[in-house]
Amino acid sequence: MAKPFETVVILDFGAQYTQLIARRIRELDVYCEIYPFNTEIEKIRELNPKGIILSGGPSSVYEDGAPHCNPKILDLGVPVLGICYGLQLLSYFLGGKVEPSNRREYGAAQIKLLGESKLLAGLPPDFPVWMSHGDHVATAPPGFRVIAETDNALGAVENVEKGIYGLQFHPEVAHTPDGKKILGNFVKSICGCSGDWSAASFINVTVDRIREQIGSGRAVCGLSGGVDSSVAAALVARAIDDRLTCIFVDNGLLRKDEFEKVLRTFDDYGKLNVKGVAAGERFLSALQDVADPERKRKIIGHEFIEVFQEEAAKLGKVDFLVQGTLYPDVIESQSVKGPSSVIKSHHNVGGLPEKMKLQLVEPLRELFKDEVRAVGRELGLPDRLIDRQPFPGPGLAVRILGPIDHNKVKLLQDADDIVREEVERAGLYHKLWQAFAVLLPIHTVGVMGDQRTYEQVVAIRAVESLDGMTADWARLSFDVLESISRRVISEVRGINRVVYDISSKPPSTIEWE
């Protein structure tokens, strides 16, 4: 077994961006793991953490049923950092005073330092931060020094002797530009982490864990051709060699010519045993007359598992199913780490039938997309796989609003392919997180060749992002948008109008469904 990393433990109190804390810490080459707020103290002690971080959360510390961790974490002899709700909980435990804010703070704020401190060392006298709180610490606990404040609230506290620190703002989000430095001060200067985590070390540990999980068994991987499933498959193949078979299913909802292109790519790569299965009719039949997006996801997830089990049965005894589930899939689907809110289900993490006979192997479950790409490069996967834009697991089913049929799939595939071609021609493919077309369930009047038309509408979605958790709509040039619109309307018979989506995430999601 590979050497365990120096570890920072994050306790999740339900913040939607708890994983961003982990992401920032990993960017500092420090390994961290997220556990529910109510994890038993013995479990935390066994992890031998170098430090503990208490996340934010939507609750008030004094309300009935508010999530409280075991106060004995403060007796483990390791530094503790509370962020937003985490700071308020520390204050609640240690004799401070937490109150509802007269003026709640949501969004950008300016914070001022009140003297030198280890946590905020190297920062300017005042700097921008991101706030998101309805309560605040009115009085710091005895023995704590207030080290920063905004015009409206206490901003940060520390008790160096006890090794306990707190921030009212969120250092993990991009809107706090110096947040990574603050987290670096905590995990390196205060916790003493040397930074021994990297893509290479992740691979070593993960391969060992996969070997331990699968043992002498065999596995089948649901390969999609995207970076997630490809990296997951490469990791498992490194662990168990030819005892892995990859199954690439054409569910009838892939991008134009995707099935053939992906099979050719893996043939060229040559290190994975890939079997293609044409099952488009099966999926489209199951989706007939289904308009609700959640039902679409459940149906597609169910059919994927059924296909995997049927194909696995042809291989002999197979015990495990490998999936390229990432953390954004998990956090937006269910409350697995803490009481975070559910946004939508995902076929990788929801809707699996109880009769499923295969055990899941999800080696990327705690990673973001850019981390997965770094692992893929370390594994030697080709760039044309690593640099592919994300594609939803349910495929075009969640980009066709309303019921699905063969004609709508063909319309969207053709329109989407034009978007891809024009984005690539403009040199923007690798600069955008995603760029794609969405087929809307409405018809509009148009005029073509002096004749009235009544055809469908396509929306173009292009966003910029680092990890998919937040995203800003891309300011594509009018020339690029004009080329896309002109080509879609003239080349895709059945579409007579193109619109552009200028919504960011949040409040919108990247996908329309």
Side-chain angles (χ1 to χ4, degrees), residues 170-416:
H170 289 270
E172 70 272 26
V173 301
H175 302 292
T176 301
D178 291 310
K180 186 174 175 180
K181 181 173 181 57
I182 297 169
L183 290 172
N185 286 342
F186 178 71
V187 300
K188 293 194 170 179
S189 298
I190 295 171
C191 298
C193 295
S194 61
D196 60 355
W197 189 85
S198 64
S201 59
F202 170 83
I203 290 170
N204 291 335
V205 169
T206 302
V207 166
D208 281 348
R209 287 175 177 169
I210 293 168
R211 287 185 182 132
E212 182 178 357
Q213 180 182 3
I214 296 178
S216 60
R218 297 189 62 192
V220 61
C221 177
L223 202 63
S224 71
V227 61
D228 307 339
S229 62
S230 299
V231 173
L235 278 168
V236 176
R238 178 170 289 196
I240 66 171
D241 299 317
D242 59 2
R243 287 184 287 125
L244 170 70
T245 299
C246 298
I247 296 175
F248 175 43
V249 178
D250 180 2
N251 62 0
L253 298 161
L254 302 176
R255 287 169 284 205
K256 187 173 182 177
D257 301 326
E258 185 86 347
F259 189 56
E260 296 78 11
K261 290 177 181 177
V262 168
L263 289 178
R264 283 197 300 270
T265 297
F266 284 113
D267 281 344
D268 294 341
Y269 179 56
K271 295 182 181 180
L272 295 176
N273 178 23
V274 181
K275 179 181 181 181
V277 180
E281 290 298 328
R282 173 175 179 165
F283 281 81
L284 291 176
S285 176
L287 290 166
Q288 185 175 355
D289 299 324
V290 177
D292 180 75
E294 286 298 288
R295 282 195 62 206
K296 290 180 185 178
R297 286 188 174 86
K298 299 292 186 182
I299 290 169
I300 292 170
H302 174 81
E303 292 299 324
F304 264 119
I305 298 304
E306 291 292 311
V307 170
F308 290 151
Q309 291 193 142
E310 292 168 11
E311 294 300 321
K314 300 175 185 178
L315 301 172
K317 181 173 171 49
V318 176
D319 309 290
F320 296 90
L321 170 63
V322 179
Q323 288 189 327
T325 309
L326 303 191
Y327 185 76
D329 302 334
V330 173
I331 198 65
E332 291 190 346
S333 300
Q334 55 185 315
S335 180
V336 297
K337 293 294 185 184
S340 45
S341 300
V342 176
I343 295 175
K344 64 183 179 182
S345 68
H346 186 279
H347 83 280
N348 279 359
V349 292
L352 303 183
E354 292 182 3
K355 68 177 183 178
M356 189 183 77
K357 302 169 185 175
L358 303 177
Q359 299 178 55
L360 283 179
V361 179
E362 298 176 303
L364 310 177
R365 190 179 177 88
E366 302 295 337
L367 298 187
F368 284 90
K369 183 75 73 174
D370 59 331
E371 294 175 318
V372 174
R373 288 193 169 111
V375 170
R377 290 189 177 92
E378 188 71 25
L379 288 167
L381 286 167
D383 288 344
R384 62 181 177 275
L385 283 179
I386 298 302
D387 294 331
R388 285 167 62 95
Q389 290 184 356
F391 188 64
L396 299 182
V398 293
R399 295 179 180 174
I400 299 172
L401 276 61
I404 299 167
D405 58 38
H406 289 84
N407 180 59
K408 291 178 182 176
V409 172
K410 177 69 164 56
L411 284 178
L412 185 55
Q413 284 177 331
D414 290 344
D416 187 72

Side-chain angles (χ1 to χ4, degrees), residues 389 417-430:
Q389 290 184 356
D417 201 51
I418 289 171
V419 174
R420 178 192 57 78
E421 288 179 356
E422 292 302 319
V423 165
E424 287 183 346
R425 182 175 288 116
L428 298 173
Y429 184 84
H430 298 300

Side-chain angles (χ1 to χ4, degrees), residues 79-98:
V80 176
L81 171 65
I83 295 174
C84 195
Y85 178 88
L87 163 63
Q88 295 163 18
L89 188 61
L90 289 173
S91 299
Y92 179 87
F93 284 157
L94 296 170
K97 190 174 182 181
V98 180

Side-chain angles (χ1 to χ4, degrees), residues 4-11 18-35 47 49-53 183 186-187 191 193 195-198 201-202 209 327 337 365-368 371:
F5 310 117
E6 296 173 330
T7 300
V8 170
V9 167
I10 302 169
L11 296 184
T18 295
Q19 185 71 3
L20 288 180
I21 305 172
R23 172 184 161 78
R24 301 296 175 241
I25 292 173
R26 290 175 189 166
E27 288 173 354
L28 297 161
D29 301 324
V30 174
Y31 183 66
C32 55
E33 293 185 359
I34 299 173
Y35 288 88
L47 294 168
K50 299 280 286 186
I52 297 172
I53 296 177
L183 290 172
F186 178 71
V187 300
C191 298
C193 295
D196 60 355
W197 189 85
S198 64
S201 59
F202 170 83
R209 287 175 177 169
Y327 185 76
K337 293 294 185 184
R365 190 179 177 88
E366 302 295 337
L367 298 187
F368 284 90
E371 294 175 318

Side-chain angles (χ1 to χ4, degrees), residues 59-112:
S59 302
S60 296
V61 295
Y62 46 77
E63 69 185 19
D64 290 341
H68 286 191
C69 61
N70 191 327
K72 290 183 180 178
I73 64 164
L74 303 178
D75 300 327
L76 293 177
V78 300
V80 176
L81 171 65
I83 295 174
C84 195
Y85 178 88
L87 163 63
Q88 295 163 18
L89 188 61
L90 289 173
S91 299
Y92 179 87
F93 284 157
L94 296 170
K97 190 174 182 181
V98 180
E99 297 178 342
S101 300
N102 292 327
R103 179 182 174 185
R104 297 183 297 173
E105 287 187 299
Y106 295 103
Q110 200 74 10
I111 201 162
K112 304 184 213 36

